[in-house]
Amino acid sequence: MVEFRAVYAEAEADDNGELMAACLCEMAWCCYKLGLAEQGLECAMGARWLRQRQDDTVELARAMAVEAILFLDLGFSDEAFELAEEAVRLAEAGTDLPVLAFTFNAKGIVLAVCHEIDLGMELLERAVSVAASQTNVAAEGYYLLNLGFCHARLAAEADTLGEEERAIGEREAAIELTESAIEKAESSGDHWSLRVALGNTAEMLGLEGRYDLALKYLERSAALPGDPGISLRIHYLYTLGDVLFRAGHLDQARAVMTDALALADQSPQIDHQANTASKLAEILEALGETAAALALHKRFHTLYVRQSGETARRRARVEEIRAETEQLRSRAATLADQALSDPLTGIANRRSFDQILNRLAGTPIAIAIVDLDNFKSINDRFSHIVGDAVLQRVAQAIVAQIGPHGHAARLGGEEFALIFPDAPEATAAAFCEGVRVAICSTSWSDLAPDLAVTVSIGLASGDGDTPSGDLLQAADNRLYLAKANGRDQLVSTDGPILAPMATTAGERRRWRA
């Protein structure tokens, strides 16, 4: 989290939306692993919005899958399913197999929690298969862990129904899959998955009465380096206390579960507090400490009631996050639009022009550079206020002439550029000539008496093989020809300069005026 936050800050300072979205998605995933689902959801929503603006469907699928898992962690299965289903749809339309496997995993977990375990396992098996084909050992271990979780749920369901033989079979399947997950997580260095897998295996072994082996798995978990975070520490202590309790080591179980409850009290999750209070009450009752057990049972009841209201609180918080995100989206969209628009004329600016060129790279385009004739004299004779009004009206005339057939941008000063995607040169020339005629035939007397405005235009076109930079240079050269040969004209081919014109470096910088 610390590293990703630092990178995110740098990306935000550089206005690097791609890197910001990537960091937000990773931060959301870190939050999930740390048990900070609400914070993670804020990050995931931000990542999803940025990916939507970037029109990156593959990374959008990844962000939506992370968001789905976080919604599920908060108890909102409907939202989780909708997000996971859309994530799979987007991923299946692409070719990124790791992202496809991750979306299969997300939807599989959601289905399993929503009691559609068979459907969930089918998707998780597909996720495992894809990860194995890509030799993505860490991902394969994580998906195996979740597949084992599905079998553990089936075992718990069988226990409830009194189907002992089926419960044992499902639990054995869960242990086998989770042990495979342990092997993959250990070899890939994924200590988070490894800790979860060791704890889950110990829990299932404890249910089968294999206490010594369960304790060995927990010893392996405790020996792992690094801080697992409060959520996994509580899970470890709870599982250790439960195994000790089942094994009959009541005093040890009480000490461990007391530590678990103390740690749970530091956690924002009421679920941890309720579970540990209930288990400690059960241990104290077995020890004959009825008064202490009763007090904890009362505390558990209070927490249980609070748990009922926790869903409503979480729902309110989610809506608050959505509202905050919407405000940020609106502000960001405004800033983005401002960053890509020319403040004087309202049309695209140079930055936006460059983005359009990059987007159209490798496709047939025509590029024109439009420059006002003698614009310096307009400013000098009629004032800069009139000059600004002229630029605004020229921009309006350009947009009106080319309509939806091209893109218009102000490059700076009195210079404009036009881009015509997939347009034959003759078509682009016709639009440019329309722009020239519209401007020279406009009445400008309402701005200033005797004011007349004309433009010169250079046009170049390419079939997709010519780099846009070369087309720009060709259009610029032809604009120079238009200026040199008398102004108020369109030039779309290379040719001689028919009229004398200053050509020193200093003089040429001003030829557009």
Side-chain angles (χ1 to χ4, degrees):
M1 281 293 290
V2 170
E3 294 294 338
F4 280 123
R5 280 175 179 156
V7 176
Y8 178 84
E10 293 175 7
E12 190 174 32
D14 294 338
D15 197 22
N16 187 336
E18 181 78 20
L19 188 54
M20 287 168 64
C23 286
L24 282 171
C25 194
E26 295 296 344
M27 287 160 64
W29 194 237
C30 289
C31 284
Y32 166 69
K33 291 185 172 184
L34 289 169
L36 305 171
E38 290 181 10
Q39 291 181 34
L41 194 59
E42 290 186 62
C43 294
M45 285 181 173
R48 172 160 61 97
W49 176 71
L50 283 171
R51 291 305 188 191
Q52 285 170 333
R53 281 185 68 85
Q54 294 159 5
D55 198 26
D56 188 335
T57 55
V58 170
E59 291 304 323
L60 175 59
R62 189 200 305 273
M64 292 180 78
V66 172
E67 189 178 352
I69 292 171
L70 287 161
F71 262 114
L72 188 67
D73 205 38
L74 288 168
F76 303 130
S77 54
D78 289 346
E79 289 91 338
F81 179 78
E82 289 176 7
L83 284 162
E85 190 169 48
E86 178 64 10
V88 169
R89 187 189 69 78
L90 291 172
E92 285 182 326
T95 58
D96 192 307
L97 291 178
V99 170
L100 179 63
F102 187 65
T103 60
F104 284 158
N105 165 77
K107 188 176 179 181
I109 296 171
V110 173
L111 286 168
V113 172
C114 293
H115 306 289
E116 295 288 350
I117 299 179
D118 290 339
L119 292 175
M121 287 196 298
E122 287 179 17
L123 284 169
L124 287 167
E125 286 168 356
R126 291 173 69 183
V128 170
S129 177
V130 172
S133 72
Q134 298 288 297
T135 324
N136 191 338
V137 180
E140 187 182 357
Y142 173 57
Y143 304 150
L144 283 166
L145 171 63
N146 291 329
L147 195 54
F149 163 77
C150 289
H151 282 280
R153 283 185 72 93
L154 289 173
E157 178 186 281
D159 279 331
T160 303
L161 297 173
E163 300 173 358
E164 184 178 351
E165 188 173 339
R166 183 167 77 91
I168 293 172
E170 292 292 353
R171 204 149 32 238
E172 285 299 323
I175 290 171
E176 182 179 348
L177 286 164
T178 311
E179 283 181 333
S180 295
I182 289 170
E183 179 186 341
K184 302 291 183 184
E186 201 162 30
S187 65
S188 64
D190 180 1
H191 287 175
W192 182 84
S193 291
L194 182 54
R195 281 187 170 94
V196 175
L198 288 168
N200 288 356
T201 305
E203 184 179 350
M204 289 181 284
L205 289 169
L207 290 171
E208 291 198 341
R210 299 156 69 182
Y211 308 124
D212 290 344
L213 187 55
L215 291 173
K216 287 181 180 178
Y217 276 90
L218 290 169
E219 286 173 9
R220 287 175 63 186
S221 177
L224 290 173
D227 183 358
I230 189 169
S231 187
L232 279 185
R233 292 205 304 275
I234 294 168
H235 182 250
Y236 163 77
L237 289 171
Y238 179 91
T239 305
L240 177 59
D242 185 55
V243 170
L244 290 169
F245 171 60
R246 292 177 185 277
H249 306 302
L250 300 184
D251 288 330
Q252 290 177 272
R254 174 176 55 185
V256 170
M257 200 60 70
T258 300
D259 289 343
L261 182 57
L263 197 57
D265 284 341
Q266 300 173 31
S267 167
Q269 295 190 25
I270 295 177
D271 298 359
H272 287 322
Q273 298 170 37
N275 291 337
T276 51
S278 176
K279 182 58 66 175
L280 183 55
E282 190 178 354
I283 294 169
L284 291 172
E285 189 176 356
L287 283 166
E289 299 180 18
T290 53
L294 180 59
L296 273 173
H297 274 301
K298 288 179 178 179
R299 182 177 176 189
F300 167 73
H301 177 73
T302 301
L303 289 167
Y304 181 80
V305 172
R306 281 181 60 193
Q307 263 185 319
S308 302
E310 184 69 2
T311 301
R313 187 202 66 79
R314 286 177 176 172
R315 172 68 67 186
R317 178 57 186 144
V318 168
E319 294 307 318
E320 184 181 345
I321 291 170
R322 280 188 173 135
E324 290 171 355
T325 305
E326 192 59 42
Q327 289 176 1
L328 290 173
R329 287 177 183 176
S330 177
R331 178 61 179 154
T334 300
L335 291 173
D337 290 341
Q338 289 174 352
L340 296 174
S341 300
D342 174 55
L344 177 64
T345 62
I347 64 174
N349 61 11
R350 179 59 189 255
R351 183 180 182 186
S352 180
F353 172 77
D354 290 339
Q355 288 186 4
I356 295 168
L357 279 186
N358 289 335
R359 191 169 70 242
L360 295 174
T363 65
I365 57 170
I367 300 174
I369 300 180
V370 181
D371 194 88
L372 274 69
D373 297 325
N374 302 307
F375 185 69
K376 183 178 183 301
S377 66
I378 293 176
N379 280 331
D380 292 344
R381 182 180 175 190
F382 299 106
S383 81
H384 285 277
I385 294 175
V386 171
D388 286 349
V390 167
L391 290 172
Q392 290 170 333
R393 191 170 295 183
V394 166
Q396 292 167 4
I398 290 173
V399 171
Q401 285 298 312
I402 69 173
H405 305 289
H407 305 278
R410 183 186 177 202
L411 300 185
E414 66 272 24
E415 189 174 66
F416 296 82
L418 309 179
I419 303 173
F420 300 97
D422 199 23
E425 183 178 307
T427 302
F431 279 115
C432 289
E433 183 63 15
V435 167
R436 188 194 67 79
V437 171
I439 292 170
C440 72
S441 61
T442 296
S443 173
W444 301 88
S445 58
D446 60 317
L447 296 181
D450 302 323
L451 173 62
V453 179
T454 61
V455 296
S456 298
I457 305 174
L459 172 67
S461 61
D463 57 7
D465 294 329
T466 305
S468 58
D470 292 351
L471 289 179
L472 269 173
Q473 186 60 58
D476 190 70
N477 291 340
R478 290 167 186 175
L479 174 60
Y480 179 74
L481 288 175
K483 292 281 190 178
N485 291 333
R487 296 183 173 86
D488 189 20
Q489 60 185 276
L490 164 69
V491 174
S492 58
T493 58
D494 295 326
I497 298 175
L498 302 178
M501 190 172 186
T503 57
T504 65
E507 291 170 329
R508 178 155 180 169
R509 280 196 295 270
R510 297 304 310 152
W511 61 261
R512 287 190 174 92

